[in-house]
Amino acid sequence: MNSDKAFPGFWQSVLLLIGVFIIQVIVLIPVFVYEFISKVSILHHPATTGYANILSIGIVVFFAWKLMKLPAKQVFPIKGINIAEIGIVLITTLGFSILLSELDNIVRIVLPVPENIAEMFEKLISGSGSMWGSFFALAIVAPLTEETLFRGVILNGYLKRYSPATAIIVSGLMFGLFHLNPWQFFGAAIIGFVFAWWFIKTGNLTLTILGHFFANFIPFFIIAILDIEIGGFTTNYSGQPEFQPLWLDLTGLFLAVSGLLLASRFFRKPAPEEPEYNLAEEEFPDTSNEV
């Protein structure tokens, strides 16, 4: 533990998330008014989801950053990445996308998804409501807003208060709870653990944003753009749950484990830059009066 006064701690982060939900309701008031007047439903349009997330999470992130009293580059360390790092992120997130899809099938068997929620999930991931709206909400807004909040603000604060293991576990669980439904909780929590680990190893928010992009874009790309049918992977939420082919699960396991091993070996924080030595500015003792 580094400091019990660093912001945010656990309960402070809970208040931040409550603030996100309150602001979401407030910023959606114009949407409710529009629907009431026009009788046109836009509440569940993907672009509406993106709009609400940008404003609600953006306001909370800005407020939290001010309370942290740290430079922006320390809270939101956006740094360059190389081709190898991009490859590792892609391999890992593809593997986990497959494995977590199978976990999702198990959860749906135990706890079936209500029809209205299933319809909302399918509309978002398939792009049936709006292809560009879904891409905007899933691949652009969610990675940027959620990573700056959970890895930039919350994990940063936790690392100054708790051990790295505690910070990873608690921030990941909160990321799962943030989705407000049991069908996304387990997958979001697990991928949250991975992103938190990446952030701790590299101190680079770019990697987690890219990983979040891939995690959301891969199923969208397969289902909405390629329109490929894979049993258990592209099955509708409202349909009967089924398991994925064994070859797909084994492929996902291989990719996920390989990605984690590669990250463990190659993901490192860059060495701190040494101060430049300027001989012209170096001060030397005055020896002119010495004999």
Side-chain angles (χ1 to χ4, degrees), residues 46-189:
T48 303
T49 302
Y51 149 79
N53 280 356
I54 288 174
L55 288 181
S56 59
I57 298 180
I59 291 171
V60 168
V61 165
F62 180 79
F63 173 76
W65 170 53
K66 288 298 184 181
L67 290 179
M68 293 174 82
K69 299 179 180 178
L70 294 171
K73 65 180 181 180
Q74 185 174 338
V75 181
F76 315 112
I78 303 295
K79 305 173 185 177
I81 54 177
N82 57 44
I83 295 297
E85 290 171 329
I86 294 174
I88 293 172
V89 170
L90 177 58
I91 290 170
T92 310
T93 50
L94 178 57
F96 273 99
S97 292
I98 295 170
L99 294 179
L100 296 178
S101 171
E102 191 72 294
L103 176 61
D104 179 63
N105 293 330
I106 297 172
V107 173
R108 287 171 54 218
I109 290 173
V110 177
L111 188 64
V113 185
E115 185 176 345
N116 62 325
I117 296 179
E119 182 181 350
M120 181 179 67
F121 285 162
E122 290 170 9
K123 191 174 183 180
L124 181 62
I125 199 66
S126 69
S128 59
S130 168
M131 183 74 72
W132 287 109
S134 291
F135 177 80
F136 173 68
L138 289 171
I140 304 299
V141 175
L144 291 174
T145 58
E146 293 176 13
E147 289 309 309
T148 53
L149 175 60
F150 281 93
R151 261 57 72 177
V153 170
I154 292 176
L155 182 60
N156 242 318
Y158 284 4
L159 289 172
K160 293 177 175 59
R161 284 175 173 253
Y162 318 122
S163 68
T166 299
I168 288 173
I169 293 171
V170 177
S171 66
L173 292 174
M174 292 195 72
F175 185 55
L177 290 170
F178 178 75
H179 291 77
L180 293 180
N181 68 79
W183 305 281
Q184 291 179 294
F185 168 76
F186 296 101

Side-chain angles (χ1 to χ4, degrees), residues 208-219:
T208 72
I209 292 174
L210 182 64
H212 202 139
F213 165 80
F214 283 142
N216 285 0
F217 180 72
I218 288 170

Side-chain angles (χ1 to χ4, degrees), residues 271-275:
E273 295 183 3
E274 296 184 3

